[in-house]
Amino acid sequence: MAVPPIQASVPITDAPIPIGSTASTSSLDDKNLSIRSSANSVPSEEELSLKRNPFTDPRVAAQWKQVYDDCEYECRYVFDATLDWTEEEEKRVIRKLDWRVCLWACVMFFALQVDRANLTQVISDNFLDDLHMNTNDYNVGNTIFLVAFLFAELPSQLISKKVGPDRWVPAQICLWSIVAALQCLINGRGSFFATRALLGILEGGFIPDVVLWLSYFYTSKELPIRLSYFWTTLSLTGVVTSLLAFVILRLRGVLGWGGWQWLFLIEGIITFFIGFTSFFMMPASAVQTKAWFRPNGWFTDREISIVVNRVLRDDPSKGDMNNRQAITPKILWSALSDYDLWPLYLLGLVIYIPQAPPTKYITLIFRGSGFDTFTTNLLTIPYNVFHIITLILLTRLSEWLNERTLVSSIQNIWMLPTIAALRWWPGTIYNAWGTYAILTVLLSYPYCHAILVAWVSRNSNSVGTRGVSAAVYNMAVQTGNVIGNFIYLDNDKPLYHKGNSALFAINALSIVLFVGTKLYYVWRNKQRERVWNGMTEDERTAYIANTRTVGSRRLDFRFAH
């Protein structure tokens, strides 16, 4: 079925448009409107209305209504091409969404990060010694987890799209929390590897599942900022778990258990509670918030209409599949073979490698510098706090400048001198506080992950592709993490000269890849622009009405960069 055009997504003037606004979605489906008006310095009221609301054109509204009806889109009954609302009403709705949707997404991410990252805390205890393992075993365990996590990404996303993230995500959390708690019974290398594999399988796919759920409620302008809040949870969790570890690890000797055993058990119980509660906190959509335990729902009828229609006007393709509709093999192959998204996957593979080994080994490095177990865990708090601040500032800067590629490259530009210092400064490890300062600055880097996840979503340009591309991008990130696990090796410690040299080279490559990605998308847009401008107005109109090409392959689509 041909997907009708996203009529409102083209700028009518040459003025810059803020990131994620209705006018700045990357499609140029109404290019014919743009060309007709380009000779005018001031757009007409009719053109401005069409830019704000693509459904102002009755033909477009009828086309999309047919799409929503055919796919049985869950919110189709409240689609209203003529609905108006005030700015204050929209702000009130967004505040509700932030408190009920975004906040709980952050709580669930906290549950993920607690159970997948607490290994950093337990190795500051006597975890490796108690189990007669070394850092190479630790690397293998991390690799097993990441490989399992990687291969679970896409299957999890396919399950989530079929049954709905509101059902699948809470089930995931409950299942992995049971395994996480049972890690307290680990008694050797074999059981350590087995629990790492199970955790990877059960946690894989969680992030793209939640990102897809968030996209049901937020516009393209709002999503990157909410994702920045989502990923600040990563650092906030680091602060909370460091404080928990400072307390829990002191239980060593109680009932004959090690402190790491108590930490696994207690944190697993915490995350199970979050998973169980999530069954009641994740509605399937804005029109499905009423339930037996929530008879009044989250929104009034008018607020429901505003939530749904504002998202559809920003991106009409968000209703081209219902939230219980499976991704078919044809859609899957189309998404996987969309080579125009591959530059973003390549970025995901490479740009997060340089910070991975220092993050995983920071507690071991601090212990090697002479800090004790409890001081080590407290010393990880400052960089997590700074990381939250820089992440949010970077995402805001991207929104303000309407720029993704060059702003995101600031992450790796930030890290380059600190990795150089870690490699070539003679006081590394031997100067405890100097080493601490370098690692704190390095790991306070402005994280660009929120920008890239939203960027992948935007350049996908359809629900089916978006569901797959989010998983593939995250698989690329996890592959990079697997590579990162083999950079700091046991025979290279404690200075890790070879490892840090490799990190420096990879970080420099990352900066080059950002520039290459920028040039690629500029080139692809110019290619399409030439073809589009060579068509007559009738040819453009016929293409928009009849093409069976979907997603980012549409000739009238322009890539964000």
Side-chain angles (χ1 to χ4, degrees):
M1 175 175 57
V3 179
I6 305 174
Q7 295 279 347
S9 54
V10 67
I12 295 177
T13 70
D14 292 331
I17 299 168
I19 181 173
S21 66
T22 301
S24 67
T25 44
S26 305
S27 174
L28 293 186
D29 292 329
D30 59 337
K31 186 68 178 179
N32 54 341
L33 171 64
S34 178
I35 292 173
R36 288 198 304 270
S37 61
S38 62
N40 302 321
S41 58
V42 179
S44 68
E45 187 62 35
E46 178 184 358
E47 290 163 350
L48 287 173
S49 176
L50 184 58
K51 184 174 71 168
R52 289 189 296 266
N53 179 5
F55 307 122
T56 298
D57 185 336
R59 295 171 300 174
V60 175
Q63 285 176 329
W64 279 106
K65 186 178 187 307
Q66 187 63 50
V67 171
Y68 301 153
D69 288 341
D70 289 346
C71 73
E72 299 182 347
Y73 171 50
E74 62 277 2
C75 301
R76 63 191 181 278
Y77 301 115
V78 295
F79 169 62
D80 186 346
T82 62
L83 181 69
D84 289 321
W85 57 84
T86 66
E87 184 179 352
E88 183 55 40
E89 284 182 305
E90 186 166 14
K91 286 181 179 178
R92 187 162 56 247
V93 164
I94 292 172
R95 283 195 296 269
K96 278 193 174 183
L97 290 171
D98 286 343
W99 277 107
R100 298 180 183 276
V101 176
C102 184
L103 179 61
W104 194 255
C106 292
V107 171
M108 292 188 295
F109 191 47
F110 171 84
L112 173 75
Q113 192 60 21
V114 165
D115 285 339
R116 74 172 178 171
N118 55 12
L119 208 56
T120 303
Q121 277 88 40
V122 299
I123 62 169
S124 70
D125 193 39
N126 293 338
F127 176 74
L128 295 179
D129 292 337
D130 287 351
L131 298 179
H132 308 292
M133 298 193 304
N134 57 28
T135 53
N136 284 345
D137 297 319
Y138 174 64
N139 283 342
V140 172
N142 273 321
T143 302
I144 289 171
F145 169 81
L146 290 170
V147 170
F149 194 96
L150 187 158
F151 283 106
E153 289 276 2
L154 192 53
S156 176
Q157 185 73 353
L158 297 177
I159 295 171
S160 178
K161 192 66 190 70
K162 175 62 177 176
V163 305
D166 55 296
R167 297 170 177 172
W168 178 239
V169 170
Q172 276 185 289
I173 301 174
C174 288
L175 290 170
W176 87 52
S177 65
I178 293 172
V179 176
L182 290 176
Q183 288 180 109
C184 67
L185 302 179
I186 289 174
N187 57 12
R189 184 182 292 106
S191 53
F192 171 60
F193 292 163
T195 54
R196 288 287 98 190
L198 284 172
L199 283 174
I201 291 169
L202 295 171
E203 292 180 359
F206 168 85
I207 292 174
D209 293 343
V210 174
V211 170
L212 181 64
W213 182 64
L214 286 170
S215 72
Y216 295 158
F217 299 94
Y218 288 105
T219 67
S220 57
K221 177 181 180 179
E222 297 156 357
L223 187 59
I225 298 300
R226 272 64 194 181
L227 290 177
S228 74
Y229 300 154
F230 184 67
W231 266 284
T232 59
T233 310
L234 184 148
S235 297
L236 184 61
T237 304
V239 174
V240 173
T241 54
S242 293
L243 293 172
L244 283 174
F246 181 76
V247 175
I248 296 173
L249 292 180
R250 293 175 181 270
L251 295 177
R252 168 169 283 274
V254 176
L255 299 181
W257 276 19
W260 58 267
Q261 292 177 288
W262 286 109
L263 188 138
F264 278 140
L265 178 62
I266 293 171
E267 292 187 347
I269 292 172
I270 292 171
T271 55
F272 182 86
F273 174 77
I274 293 173
F276 180 76
T277 306
S278 296
F279 281 107
F280 305 96
M281 295 297 292
M282 286 186 73
S285 71
V287 299
Q288 295 167 283
T289 63
K290 291 183 180 180
W292 63 267
F293 54 86
R294 193 169 48 231
N296 296 324
W298 285 350
F299 310 106
T300 66
D301 289 343
R302 177 164 175 79
E303 287 173 335
I304 291 173
S305 296
I306 293 172
V307 171
V308 172
N309 285 283
R310 62 191 288 275
V311 168
L312 291 178
R313 290 179 191 182
D314 173 71
D315 184 353
S317 73
K318 286 187 177 180
D320 65 9
M321 293 181 75
N322 71 64
N323 60 11
R324 297 286 190 268
Q325 185 175 348
I327 294 174
T328 64
K330 182 179 179 181
I331 295 174
L332 176 61
W333 172 248
S334 177
L336 291 174
S337 61
D338 188 350
Y339 58 82
D340 283 314
L341 293 175
W342 293 357
L344 298 179
Y345 302 154
L346 182 59
L347 286 176
L349 173 68
V350 175
I351 64 174
Y352 307 114
I353 294 176
Q355 62 266 39
T359 301
K360 289 184 175 66
Y361 275 77
I362 187 168
T363 52
L364 286 177
I365 293 172
F366 285 170
R367 289 296 304 276
S369 296
F371 296 109
D372 62 42
T373 297
F374 306 111
T375 304
T376 290
N377 280 289
L378 291 179
L379 288 177
T380 63
I381 293 175
Y383 84 77
N384 280 297
V385 174
F386 293 137
H387 189 257
I388 291 172
I389 297 169
T390 57
L391 188 161
I392 293 175
L393 288 177
L394 188 77
T395 310
R396 291 286 185 181
L397 180 64
S398 175
E399 177 189 19
W400 181 57
L401 296 177
N402 189 23
E403 169 57 53
R404 296 159 190 80
T405 322
L406 301 181
V407 170
S408 296
S409 69
I410 293 174
Q411 167 185 292
N412 296 87
I413 293 172
W414 173 295
M415 291 190 296
L416 196 64
T418 58
I419 294 174
L422 205 58
R423 167 59 183 87
W424 287 287
W425 180 54
T428 299
I429 297 296
Y430 303 114
N431 184 322
W433 287 107
T435 303
Y436 170 72
I438 292 172
L439 284 169
T440 297
V441 174
L442 191 163
L443 297 179
S444 298
Y445 65 93
Y447 195 33
C448 67
H449 198 37
I451 299 172
L452 264 79
V453 169
W455 189 3
V456 170
S457 176
R458 175 172 300 195
N459 279 0
S460 298
N461 200 40
S462 73
V463 172
T465 303
R466 190 172 289 123
V468 176
S469 64
V472 175
Y473 168 77
N474 217 41
M475 289 172 69
V477 174
Q478 299 311 321
T479 302
N481 283 331
V482 171
I483 296 170
N485 273 337
F486 291 96
I487 292 179
Y488 280 5
L489 299 177
D490 202 53
N491 60 9
D492 193 27
K493 68 179 186 181
L495 298 178
Y496 299 110
H497 276 166
K498 293 178 182 177
N500 287 324
S501 295
L503 293 182
F504 184 84
I506 294 169
N507 197 76
L509 173 63
S510 299
I511 298 170
V512 173
L513 288 177
F514 273 118
V515 176
T517 299
K518 179 77 173 180
L519 295 175
Y520 176 80
Y521 283 132
V522 169
W523 172 68
R524 288 291 284 146
N525 285 346
K526 285 183 177 179
Q527 271 191 322
R528 292 186 177 184
E529 194 76 15
R530 283 195 297 269
V531 176
W532 187 260
N533 289 340
M535 298 167 66
T536 66
E537 186 173 325
D538 287 342
E539 287 173 333
R540 290 193 294 266
T541 301
Y543 177 87
I544 289 172
N546 301 317
T547 185
R548 301 184 67 82
T549 305
V550 298
S552 65
R553 288 184 171 89
R554 289 179 62 96
L555 182 60
D556 49 354
F557 178 81
R558 300 295 178 267
F559 295 99
H561 54 78

